[in-house]
Amino acid sequence: VVTVKVSKVTKTFRKGKTPVEVLKGVDLVIERGACMGILGPSGTGKTTLMRIIAGLEVPTSGDVYFDDKLVSTSNRIVVPPERRNIGMVFQSWALYPNMKAYDNIAFAVKNRKGEELRKKIEEIAEVLDIKKVLDRYPRELSGGQQQRVALARALAKDPSLLVLDEPFSNLDARIRDSARALVKKVQKEFGVTAIVVSHDPADIFSVADVAGVLLDGNFAQVGSPIELYDSPVSARVARLVGEINELDGQVEGGKLKVLNGTVEVKGLDEGEVKVGMRPEDLKVSEDQVPGMVSLGKVRVKVSSYTGSSFRLVVSPIEDDRVELYVNSDRPMDINSIALLYVRPEKVKIFRK
Ligand code: ADP
Ligand code: MG
């Protein structure tokens, strides 16, 4: 089990004649036994960064260390991938179709043989609940079982590092939650350092202790899932980690004016700002709501049932073009007029 350190890593690809810098000096430390999540839109270089850590791709510049050992440096692989002892699971689990589940797992293990190998595989299969399907071929397994066999294969060689690149995106929504919980459980149980990469914040939030948001070739923010969700450093980060309403606002005399409301804020520069409010931090009500601040009258345009709650779309009565999403525990009549409230401590303010 290792600490992974990525220092000032850049990667430039050539697209025809034009060089494109995909990674622009990435710094990252993943502590021994921690589970790091990397979130970013498609095409931001997440897979490229994983391939550099795994030694499958060479950095254009910068260094990668496993503990204190240099494994990659500018244009050079110092320790080859097969000697980095990494267990990897990719989006396509790529099990060998002509091998039974057991052999798919055993094939990856070089350091064990015979009875010792069998014991190891059975131990992992027990944790992942695939003991009964070890003698089946991949085509005889469900998607969830295939994913667990791929995970078992990655774990069977006692990896120093587990790399999971979009491991849940091929799973049905129905089993995705249990797959996430399982990954978290085995990562903690085996105590292995892990990196989970996804474009879906739910994947990252459910398994990672710490997460980084990769944007434009660099980490825009690194923090706990709660920090990223509650205190995003920019509107782009806020948008990537969850749904958010974005409005224009003004800070005057230490107070934020947004819509027809005034919210107390601390330590902010005066002037025009962008304001972010998550749908669950808003409420539409005819009455006063204790602890919440009124933003003025709104008209309900849409009220739809989402299975567990209601989703409203509302507009300030004086400006129909502004629309806000509100999560509500009850439906509202279309065109009804009520007051919009916000939880003031949850209001996010970004520089324009
Ligand atoms: P992500 O995993 O975040 O979706 P990738 O790391 O796969 O992003 O890709 C980042 C960018 O680098 C993309 O624009 C992709 O086209 C480009 N890219 C990745 N690998 C190569 C390669 N081998 N040659 C040229 N361009 C590449
Ligand atoms: Mg990718």
Side-chain angles (χ1 to χ4, degrees), residues 66-106:
F66 281 18
D67 293 329
D68 292 327
K69 192 171 173 49
L70 182 71
V71 294
S72 286
T73 187
S74 303
N75 285 311
R76 193 159 66 87
I77 302 285
V78 180
V79 175
E82 63 275 13
R83 286 187 32 228
R84 295 193 185 190
N85 195 23
I86 298 180
M88 292 207 262
V89 179
F90 288 106
Q91 183 169 354
S92 55
W93 308 305
L95 299 176
Y96 299 107
N98 57 336
M99 284 186 197
K100 291 178 174 178
Y102 182 92
D103 298 313
N104 260 286
I105 300 168

mmCIF file of all heavy atoms in Angstrom, residues 66-106:
data_model
loop_
_atom_site.group_PDB
_atom_site.id
_atom_site.type_symbol
_atom_site.label_atom_id
_atom_site.label_comp_id
_atom_site.label_asym_id
_atom_site.label_seq_id
_atom_site.Cartn_x
_atom_site.Cartn_y
_atom_site.Cartn_z
ATOM 1 N N PHE A 66 5.827 6.821 -5.947
ATOM 2 C CA PHE A 66 5.110 5.880 -5.090
ATOM 3 C C PHE A 66 5.933 5.830 -3.802
ATOM 4 O O PHE A 66 7.093 5.409 -3.834
ATOM 5 C CB PHE A 66 5.036 4.484 -5.725
ATOM 6 C CG PHE A 66 3.965 4.363 -6.792
ATOM 7 C CD1 PHE A 66 3.393 5.476 -7.396
ATOM 8 C CD2 PHE A 66 3.514 3.107 -7.193
ATOM 9 C CE1 PHE A 66 2.406 5.357 -8.371
ATOM 10 C CE2 PHE A 66 2.524 2.972 -8.165
ATOM 11 C CZ PHE A 66 1.977 4.092 -8.750
ATOM 12 N N ASP A 67 5.366 6.268 -2.692
ATOM 13 C CA ASP A 67 6.140 6.560 -1.487
ATOM 14 C C ASP A 67 7.276 7.497 -1.901
ATOM 15 O O ASP A 67 7.005 8.472 -2.572
ATOM 16 C CB ASP A 67 6.616 5.283 -0.800
ATOM 17 C CG ASP A 67 5.436 4.479 -0.237
ATOM 18 O OD1 ASP A 67 4.427 5.115 0.153
ATOM 19 O OD2 ASP A 67 5.505 3.249 -0.212
ATOM 20 N N ASP A 68 8.510 7.195 -1.553
ATOM 21 C CA ASP A 68 9.571 8.136 -1.927
ATOM 22 C C ASP A 68 10.258 7.742 -3.221
ATOM 23 O O ASP A 68 11.248 8.348 -3.624
ATOM 24 C CB ASP A 68 10.602 8.232 -0.799
ATOM 25 C CG ASP A 68 9.997 8.890 0.428
ATOM 26 O OD1 ASP A 68 9.126 9.777 0.254
ATOM 27 O OD2 ASP A 68 10.365 8.507 1.554
ATOM 28 N N LYS A 69 9.713 6.735 -3.874
ATOM 29 C CA LYS A 69 10.380 6.212 -5.066
ATOM 30 C C LYS A 69 9.841 6.894 -6.330
ATOM 31 O O LYS A 69 8.629 6.916 -6.567
ATOM 32 C CB LYS A 69 10.132 4.705 -5.143
ATOM 33 C CG LYS A 69 11.005 4.015 -6.157
ATOM 34 C CD LYS A 69 10.862 2.503 -6.037
ATOM 35 C CE LYS A 69 11.601 1.801 -7.157
ATOM 36 N NZ LYS A 69 12.973 2.277 -7.354
ATOM 37 N N LEU A 70 10.752 7.442 -7.106
ATOM 38 C CA LEU A 70 10.377 8.061 -8.379
ATOM 39 C C LEU A 70 9.988 6.958 -9.370
ATOM 40 O O LEU A 70 10.778 6.061 -9.645
ATOM 41 C CB LEU A 70 11.572 8.864 -8.926
ATOM 42 C CG LEU A 70 11.336 9.612 -10.234
ATOM 43 C CD1 LEU A 70 10.402 10.803 -10.034
ATOM 44 C CD2 LEU A 70 12.670 10.087 -10.828
ATOM 45 N N VAL A 71 8.763 7.004 -9.897
ATOM 46 C CA VAL A 71 8.340 5.953 -10.836
ATOM 47 C C VAL A 71 8.230 6.467 -12.276
ATOM 48 O O VAL A 71 8.357 5.695 -13.227
ATOM 49 C CB VAL A 71 7.028 5.250 -10.400
ATOM 50 C CG1 VAL A 71 7.235 4.469 -9.109
ATOM 51 C CG2 VAL A 71 5.875 6.229 -10.259
ATOM 52 N N SER A 72 7.954 7.778 -12.429
ATOM 53 C CA SER A 72 7.926 8.393 -13.760
ATOM 54 C C SER A 72 8.463 9.799 -13.652
ATOM 55 O O SER A 72 8.254 10.475 -12.643
ATOM 56 C CB SER A 72 6.504 8.500 -14.300
ATOM 57 O OG SER A 72 6.012 7.261 -14.698
ATOM 58 N N THR A 73 9.142 10.239 -14.705
ATOM 59 C CA THR A 73 9.600 11.624 -14.739
ATOM 60 C C THR A 73 9.486 12.121 -16.181
ATOM 61 O O THR A 73 8.960 11.409 -17.041
ATOM 62 C CB THR A 73 11.028 11.729 -14.151
ATOM 63 O OG1 THR A 73 11.385 13.106 -14.057
ATOM 64 C CG2 THR A 73 12.049 10.994 -15.010
ATOM 65 N N SER A 74 9.907 13.356 -16.449
ATOM 66 C CA SER A 74 9.756 13.952 -17.774
ATOM 67 C C SER A 74 10.168 12.982 -18.887
ATOM 68 O O SER A 74 11.329 12.569 -18.947
ATOM 69 C CB SER A 74 10.621 15.203 -17.881
ATOM 70 O OG SER A 74 10.258 16.098 -16.866
ATOM 71 N N ASN A 75 9.200 12.624 -19.709
ATOM 72 C CA ASN A 75 9.446 11.766 -20.872
ATOM 73 C C ASN A 75 10.108 10.434 -20.549
ATOM 74 O O ASN A 75 10.745 9.847 -21.419
ATOM 75 C CB ASN A 75 10.297 12.515 -21.905
ATOM 76 C CG ASN A 75 9.455 13.541 -22.632
ATOM 77 O OD1 ASN A 75 8.371 13.220 -23.109
ATOM 78 N ND2 ASN A 75 9.927 14.777 -22.686
ATOM 79 N N ARG A 76 9.967 9.969 -19.327
ATOM 80 C CA ARG A 76 10.641 8.723 -18.976
ATOM 81 C C ARG A 76 9.852 7.925 -17.931
ATOM 82 O O ARG A 76 9.422 8.463 -16.920
ATOM 83 C CB ARG A 76 12.045 9.034 -18.432
ATOM 84 C CG ARG A 76 12.950 7.801 -18.319
ATOM 85 C CD ARG A 76 14.417 8.207 -18.280
ATOM 86 N NE ARG A 76 14.753 8.958 -17.079
ATOM 87 C CZ ARG A 76 15.111 8.388 -15.927
ATOM 88 N NH1 ARG A 76 15.170 7.078 -15.820
ATOM 89 N NH2 ARG A 76 15.411 9.144 -14.886
ATOM 90 N N ILE A 77 9.686 6.625 -18.242
ATOM 91 C CA ILE A 77 9.099 5.687 -17.279
ATOM 92 C C ILE A 77 10.263 5.096 -16.488
ATOM 93 O O ILE A 77 11.144 4.466 -17.063
ATOM 94 C CB ILE A 77 8.353 4.548 -18.022
ATOM 95 C CG1 ILE A 77 7.246 5.082 -18.937
ATOM 96 C CG2 ILE A 77 7.826 3.507 -17.031
ATOM 97 C CD1 ILE A 77 6.000 5.546 -18.243
ATOM 98 N N VAL A 78 10.299 5.348 -15.179
ATOM 99 C CA VAL A 78 11.409 4.840 -14.366
ATOM 100 C C VAL A 78 11.091 3.412 -13.887
ATOM 101 O O VAL A 78 11.924 2.518 -13.974
ATOM 102 C CB VAL A 78 11.681 5.772 -13.171
ATOM 103 C CG1 VAL A 78 12.840 5.243 -12.321
ATOM 104 C CG2 VAL A 78 11.969 7.197 -13.662
ATOM 105 N N VAL A 79 9.863 3.218 -13.394
ATOM 106 C CA VAL A 79 9.419 1.881 -12.992
ATOM 107 C C VAL A 79 8.297 1.459 -13.950
ATOM 108 O O VAL A 79 7.277 2.148 -14.045
ATOM 109 C CB VAL A 79 8.903 1.876 -11.532
ATOM 110 C CG1 VAL A 79 8.326 0.517 -11.161
ATOM 111 C CG2 VAL A 79 10.026 2.268 -10.568
ATOM 112 N N PRO A 80 8.468 0.359 -14.679
ATOM 113 C CA PRO A 80 7.463 -0.026 -15.670
ATOM 114 C C PRO A 80 6.149 -0.438 -15.015
ATOM 115 O O PRO A 80 6.136 -0.823 -13.831
ATOM 116 C CB PRO A 80 8.110 -1.207 -16.400
ATOM 117 C CG PRO A 80 9.124 -1.740 -15.450
ATOM 118 C CD PRO A 80 9.591 -0.579 -14.632
ATOM 119 N N PRO A 81 5.043 -0.361 -15.760
ATOM 120 C CA PRO A 81 3.716 -0.615 -15.173
ATOM 121 C C PRO A 81 3.611 -1.963 -14.475
ATOM 122 O O PRO A 81 3.008 -2.046 -13.397
ATOM 123 C CB PRO A 81 2.770 -0.544 -16.379
ATOM 124 C CG PRO A 81 3.617 -0.454 -17.598
ATOM 125 C CD PRO A 81 4.964 0.022 -17.180
ATOM 126 N N GLU A 82 4.206 -2.999 -15.033
ATOM 127 C CA GLU A 82 4.061 -4.336 -14.427
ATOM 128 C C GLU A 82 4.759 -4.428 -13.080
ATOM 129 O O GLU A 82 4.496 -5.338 -12.298
ATOM 130 C CB GLU A 82 4.537 -5.432 -15.394
ATOM 131 C CG GLU A 82 6.010 -5.402 -15.785
ATOM 132 C CD GLU A 82 6.314 -4.470 -16.950
ATOM 133 O OE1 GLU A 82 5.437 -3.651 -17.322
ATOM 134 O OE2 GLU A 82 7.447 -4.545 -17.483
ATOM 135 N N ARG A 83 5.651 -3.462 -12.776
ATOM 136 C CA ARG A 83 6.308 -3.489 -11.470
ATOM 137 C C ARG A 83 5.734 -2.471 -10.490
ATOM 138 O O ARG A 83 6.270 -2.247 -9.416
ATOM 139 C CB ARG A 83 7.820 -3.318 -11.642
ATOM 140 C CG ARG A 83 8.450 -4.619 -12.193
ATOM 141 C CD ARG A 83 9.958 -4.599 -12.230
ATOM 142 N NE ARG A 83 10.550 -3.810 -11.173
ATOM 143 C CZ ARG A 83 11.510 -2.904 -11.377
ATOM 144 N NH1 ARG A 83 11.979 -2.682 -12.591
ATOM 145 N NH2 ARG A 83 12.007 -2.232 -10.358
ATOM 146 N N ARG A 84 4.608 -1.831 -10.900
ATOM 147 C CA ARG A 84 3.983 -0.852 -9.986
ATOM 148 C C ARG A 84 2.933 -1.489 -9.094
ATOM 149 O O ARG A 84 2.422 -0.858 -8.179
ATOM 150 C CB ARG A 84 3.367 0.294 -10.794
ATOM 151 C CG ARG A 84 4.434 1.083 -11.518
ATOM 152 C CD ARG A 84 3.928 2.394 -12.063
ATOM 153 N NE ARG A 84 4.989 3.016 -12.851
ATOM 154 C CZ ARG A 84 4.951 4.242 -13.315
ATOM 155 N NH1 ARG A 84 3.880 5.005 -13.115
ATOM 156 N NH2 ARG A 84 5.956 4.722 -14.007
ATOM 157 N N ASN A 85 2.547 -2.718 -9.412
ATOM 158 C CA ASN A 85 1.581 -3.454 -8.608
ATOM 159 C C ASN A 85 0.257 -2.696 -8.416
ATOM 160 O O ASN A 85 -0.162 -2.394 -7.307
ATOM 161 C CB ASN A 85 2.204 -3.819 -7.253
ATOM 162 C CG ASN A 85 1.392 -4.880 -6.548
ATOM 163 O OD1 ASN A 85 0.664 -5.630 -7.190
ATOM 164 N ND2 ASN A 85 1.488 -4.919 -5.233
ATOM 165 N N ILE A 86 -0.356 -2.374 -9.548
ATOM 166 C CA ILE A 86 -1.616 -1.635 -9.526
ATOM 167 C C ILE A 86 -2.753 -2.551 -9.975
ATOM 168 O O ILE A 86 -2.614 -3.278 -10.954
ATOM 169 C CB ILE A 86 -1.541 -0.411 -10.472
ATOM 170 C CG1 ILE A 86 -0.436 0.526 -9.985
ATOM 171 C CG2 ILE A 86 -2.881 0.309 -10.533
ATOM 172 C CD1 ILE A 86 -0.282 1.755 -10.833
ATOM 173 N N GLY A 87 -3.836 -2.521 -9.225
ATOM 174 C CA GLY A 87 -5.050 -3.214 -9.652
ATOM 175 C C GLY A 87 -5.937 -2.213 -10.358
ATOM 176 O O GLY A 87 -6.231 -1.161 -9.804
ATOM 177 N N MET A 88 -6.329 -2.531 -11.586
ATOM 178 C CA MET A 88 -7.122 -1.558 -12.332
ATOM 179 C C MET A 88 -8.465 -2.123 -12.749
ATOM 180 O O MET A 88 -8.566 -3.284 -13.136
ATOM 181 C CB MET A 88 -6.362 -1.139 -13.585
ATOM 182 C CG MET A 88 -5.137 -0.346 -13.233
ATOM 183 S SD MET A 88 -4.698 0.755 -14.543
ATOM 184 C CE MET A 88 -3.460 -0.231 -15.313
ATOM 185 N N VAL A 89 -9.490 -1.267 -12.679
ATOM 186 C CA VAL A 89 -10.798 -1.618 -13.218
ATOM 187 C C VAL A 89 -11.229 -0.470 -14.105
ATOM 188 O O VAL A 89 -11.273 0.679 -13.672
ATOM 189 C CB VAL A 89 -11.845 -1.836 -12.095
ATOM 190 C CG1 VAL A 89 -13.208 -2.177 -12.701
ATOM 191 C CG2 VAL A 89 -11.398 -2.942 -11.146
ATOM 192 N N PHE A 90 -11.497 -0.780 -15.342
ATOM 193 C CA PHE A 90 -11.932 0.251 -16.274
ATOM 194 C C PHE A 90 -13.415 0.097 -16.573
ATOM 195 O O PHE A 90 -14.045 -0.882 -16.201
ATOM 196 C CB PHE A 90 -11.114 0.185 -17.567
ATOM 197 C CG PHE A 90 -9.714 0.673 -17.377
ATOM 198 C CD1 PHE A 90 -8.640 -0.200 -17.345
ATOM 199 C CD2 PHE A 90 -9.470 2.023 -17.196
ATOM 200 C CE1 PHE A 90 -7.345 0.264 -17.152
ATOM 201 C CE2 PHE A 90 -8.182 2.498 -16.996
ATOM 202 C CZ PHE A 90 -7.125 1.618 -16.984
ATOM 203 N N GLN A 91 -13.916 1.086 -17.279
ATOM 204 C CA GLN A 91 -15.331 1.145 -17.647
ATOM 205 C C GLN A 91 -15.798 -0.159 -18.296
ATOM 206 O O GLN A 91 -16.842 -0.696 -17.958
ATOM 207 C CB GLN A 91 -15.500 2.317 -18.614
ATOM 208 C CG GLN A 91 -16.917 2.562 -19.023
ATOM 209 C CD GLN A 91 -17.012 3.888 -19.760
ATOM 210 O OE1 GLN A 91 -16.043 4.643 -19.847
ATOM 211 N NE2 GLN A 91 -18.170 4.176 -20.294
ATOM 212 N N SER A 92 -15.017 -0.635 -19.250
ATOM 213 C CA SER A 92 -15.319 -1.945 -19.823
ATOM 214 C C SER A 92 -14.468 -2.912 -19.006
ATOM 215 O O SER A 92 -13.257 -2.799 -18.971
ATOM 216 C CB SER A 92 -14.892 -1.996 -21.271
ATOM 217 O OG SER A 92 -13.524 -1.661 -21.361
ATOM 218 N N TRP A 93 -15.090 -3.829 -18.315
ATOM 219 C CA TRP A 93 -14.343 -4.634 -17.350
ATOM 220 C C TRP A 93 -13.387 -5.589 -18.034
ATOM 221 O O TRP A 93 -12.493 -6.132 -17.429
ATOM 222 C CB TRP A 93 -15.317 -5.346 -16.426
ATOM 223 C CG TRP A 93 -16.254 -4.350 -15.867
ATOM 224 C CD1 TRP A 93 -15.903 -3.219 -15.184
ATOM 225 C CD2 TRP A 93 -17.659 -4.317 -16.003
ATOM 226 N NE1 TRP A 93 -17.021 -2.502 -14.872
ATOM 227 C CE2 TRP A 93 -18.112 -3.148 -15.359
ATOM 228 C CE3 TRP A 93 -18.590 -5.167 -16.584
ATOM 229 C CZ2 TRP A 93 -19.460 -2.811 -15.303
ATOM 230 C CZ3 TRP A 93 -19.922 -4.834 -16.516
ATOM 231 C CH2 TRP A 93 -20.336 -3.663 -15.881
ATOM 232 N N ALA A 94 -13.648 -5.812 -19.340
ATOM 233 C CA ALA A 94 -12.726 -6.599 -20.141
ATOM 234 C C ALA A 94 -12.291 -7.905 -19.484
ATOM 235 O O ALA A 94 -11.112 -8.162 -19.287
ATOM 236 C CB ALA A 94 -11.501 -5.745 -20.499
ATOM 237 N N LEU A 95 -13.268 -8.727 -19.129
ATOM 238 C CA LEU A 95 -12.947 -10.078 -18.669
ATOM 239 C C LEU A 95 -12.648 -10.920 -19.914
ATOM 240 O O LEU A 95 -13.201 -10.671 -20.981
ATOM 241 C CB LEU A 95 -14.136 -10.682 -17.909
ATOM 242 C CG LEU A 95 -14.573 -9.931 -16.657
ATOM 243 C CD1 LEU A 95 -15.812 -10.580 -16.052
ATOM 244 C CD2 LEU A 95 -13.446 -9.876 -15.631
ATOM 245 N N TYR A 96 -11.780 -11.912 -19.745
ATOM 246 C CA TYR A 96 -11.518 -12.797 -20.879
ATOM 247 C C TYR A 96 -12.732 -13.698 -21.075
ATOM 248 O O TYR A 96 -13.095 -14.451 -20.165
ATOM 249 C CB TYR A 96 -10.267 -13.640 -20.631
ATOM 250 C CG TYR A 96 -9.035 -12.794 -20.445
ATOM 251 C CD1 TYR A 96 -8.460 -12.635 -19.193
ATOM 252 C CD2 TYR A 96 -8.454 -12.147 -21.537
ATOM 253 C CE1 TYR A 96 -7.333 -11.840 -19.019
ATOM 254 C CE2 TYR A 96 -7.323 -11.351 -21.363
ATOM 255 C CZ TYR A 96 -6.776 -11.201 -20.098
ATOM 256 O OH TYR A 96 -5.677 -10.425 -19.933
ATOM 257 N N PRO A 97 -13.375 -13.641 -22.244
ATOM 258 C CA PRO A 97 -14.643 -14.356 -22.439
ATOM 259 C C PRO A 97 -14.493 -15.878 -22.416
ATOM 260 O O PRO A 97 -15.424 -16.589 -22.062
ATOM 261 C CB PRO A 97 -15.121 -13.880 -23.814
ATOM 262 C CG PRO A 97 -13.921 -13.344 -24.500
ATOM 263 C CD PRO A 97 -12.979 -12.872 -23.434
ATOM 264 N N ASN A 98 -13.303 -16.359 -22.761
ATOM 265 C CA ASN A 98 -13.103 -17.806 -22.837
ATOM 266 C C ASN A 98 -12.566 -18.399 -21.533
ATOM 267 O O ASN A 98 -12.194 -19.561 -21.481
ATOM 268 C CB ASN A 98 -12.141 -18.135 -23.985
ATOM 269 C CG ASN A 98 -10.819 -17.407 -23.823
ATOM 270 O OD1 ASN A 98 -10.760 -16.372 -23.164
ATOM 271 N ND2 ASN A 98 -9.755 -17.948 -24.388
ATOM 272 N N MET A 99 -12.519 -17.585 -20.493
ATOM 273 C CA MET A 99 -12.061 -18.084 -19.195
ATOM 274 C C MET A 99 -13.176 -17.950 -18.176
ATOM 275 O O MET A 99 -13.875 -16.941 -18.150
ATOM 276 C CB MET A 99 -10.891 -17.245 -18.671
ATOM 277 C CG MET A 99 -9.570 -17.500 -19.313
ATOM 278 S SD MET A 99 -8.383 -16.503 -18.374
ATOM 279 C CE MET A 99 -7.043 -16.501 -19.535
ATOM 280 N N LYS A 100 -13.285 -18.949 -17.308
ATOM 281 C CA LYS A 100 -14.251 -18.863 -16.221
ATOM 282 C C LYS A 100 -13.839 -17.731 -15.257
ATOM 283 O O LYS A 100 -12.674 -17.324 -15.256
ATOM 284 C CB LYS A 100 -14.314 -20.189 -15.464
ATOM 285 C CG LYS A 100 -14.941 -21.285 -16.299
ATOM 286 C CD LYS A 100 -14.966 -22.602 -15.567
ATOM 287 C CE LYS A 100 -15.759 -23.606 -16.415
ATOM 288 N NZ LYS A 100 -15.792 -24.935 -15.787
ATOM 289 N N ALA A 101 -14.803 -17.286 -14.449
ATOM 290 C CA ALA A 101 -14.545 -16.187 -13.521
ATOM 291 C C ALA A 101 -13.290 -16.458 -12.683
ATOM 292 O O ALA A 101 -12.413 -15.603 -12.553
ATOM 293 C CB ALA A 101 -15.753 -15.971 -12.623
ATOM 294 N N TYR A 102 -13.206 -17.710 -12.164
ATOM 295 C CA TYR A 102 -12.058 -18.063 -11.323
ATOM 296 C C TYR A 102 -10.739 -17.835 -12.062
ATOM 297 O O TYR A 102 -9.798 -17.241 -11.532
ATOM 298 C CB TYR A 102 -12.156 -19.531 -10.879
ATOM 299 C CG TYR A 102 -11.030 -19.937 -9.962
ATOM 300 C CD1 TYR A 102 -11.174 -19.839 -8.580
ATOM 301 C CD2 TYR A 102 -9.811 -20.373 -10.480
ATOM 302 C CE1 TYR A 102 -10.133 -20.181 -7.733
ATOM 303 C CE2 TYR A 102 -8.754 -20.713 -9.646
ATOM 304 C CZ TYR A 102 -8.916 -20.617 -8.272
ATOM 305 O OH TYR A 102 -7.885 -20.936 -7.441
ATOM 306 N N ASP A 103 -10.689 -18.300 -13.303
ATOM 307 C CA ASP A 103 -9.436 -18.199 -14.063
ATOM 308 C C ASP A 103 -9.139 -16.753 -14.466
ATOM 309 O O ASP A 103 -7.980 -16.348 -14.543
ATOM 310 C CB ASP A 103 -9.490 -19.104 -15.287
ATOM 311 C CG ASP A 103 -9.643 -20.561 -14.878
ATOM 312 O OD1 ASP A 103 -8.897 -20.983 -13.967
ATOM 313 O OD2 ASP A 103 -10.531 -21.248 -15.409
ATOM 314 N N ASN A 104 -10.214 -15.975 -14.716
ATOM 315 C CA ASN A 104 -10.022 -14.552 -14.971
ATOM 316 C C ASN A 104 -9.301 -13.893 -13.797
ATOM 317 O O ASN A 104 -8.429 -13.051 -13.989
ATOM 318 C CB ASN A 104 -11.375 -13.858 -15.190
ATOM 319 C CG ASN A 104 -11.689 -13.641 -16.656
ATOM 320 O OD1 ASN A 104 -11.112 -12.767 -17.303
ATOM 321 N ND2 ASN A 104 -12.581 -14.462 -17.188
ATOM 322 N N ILE A 105 -9.679 -14.296 -12.596
ATOM 323 C CA ILE A 105 -9.064 -13.698 -11.401
ATOM 324 C C ILE A 105 -7.647 -14.245 -11.216
ATOM 325 O O ILE A 105 -6.691 -13.496 -11.028
ATOM 326 C CB ILE A 105 -9.926 -13.979 -10.148
ATOM 327 C CG1 ILE A 105 -11.334 -13.384 -10.325
ATOM 328 C CG2 ILE A 105 -9.267 -13.408 -8.893
ATOM 329 C CD1 ILE A 105 -12.348 -13.849 -9.287
ATOM 330 N N ALA A 106 -7.521 -15.577 -11.339
ATOM 331 C CA ALA A 106 -6.224 -16.229 -11.088
ATOM 332 C C ALA A 106 -5.153 -15.756 -12.071
ATOM 333 O O ALA A 106 -3.975 -15.616 -11.712
ATOM 334 C CB ALA A 106 -6.384 -17.748 -11.186
#
